[in-house]
Amino acid sequence: MKILTVCGSGLGTSFMVEMNIKQLLNEMGVDGVEVDHSDLGSATPGSADVFFLARDIAEGGASLGDVVVLENIIDLEELRTKLTAVLQDKNLL
């Protein structure tokens, strides 16, 4: 499975969320999930199975496919909750 984190520039927010997801995956002991980051303009529907992005660009990323919108990009508990739901949905937890 591949997760792509997306932000406007593909440099700051998306990279931070990528690192946080990798940390959470490690804590959960989940292997086999590729995580990368991108800017919104470069992300395409086939570039990942699930996309994580912030509320401010949610409308622009709605056409990507399976999108998880983060209300607060620095809230690790929100990220943990939403990541857990994705992993359970994909039978990885």
Side-chain angles (χ1 to χ4, degrees):
M1 181 176 101
K2 182 174 182 179
I3 293 173
L4 189 65
T5 62
V6 181
C7 71
S9 67
L11 298 173
T13 302
S14 59
F15 182 63
M16 180 190 71
V17 175
E18 174 191 347
M19 299 307 292
N20 288 339
I21 287 174
K22 286 180 175 177
Q23 175 188 335
L24 292 171
L25 289 171
N26 188 42
E27 289 175 10
M28 294 177 194
V30 176
D31 294 324
V33 178
E34 180 183 347
V35 186
D36 202 355
H37 67 279
S38 173
D39 64 281
L40 183 58
S42 299
T44 59
S47 58
D49 300 300
V50 181
F51 300 85
F52 279 75
L53 46 89
R55 164 136 329 275
D56 64 327
I57 63 168
E59 187 175 325
S63 64
L64 290 173
D66 194 357
V67 172
V68 176
V69 176
L70 299 173
E71 299 295 328
N72 181 347
I73 60 167
I74 61 171
D75 184 348
L76 281 178
E77 287 310 310
E78 178 191 5
L79 183 59
R80 182 186 311 273
T81 299
K82 292 182 174 179
L83 178 61
T84 298
V86 167
L87 295 173
Q88 289 173 337
D89 184 57
K90 304 291 184 187
N91 295 319
L92 295 172
L93 269 183

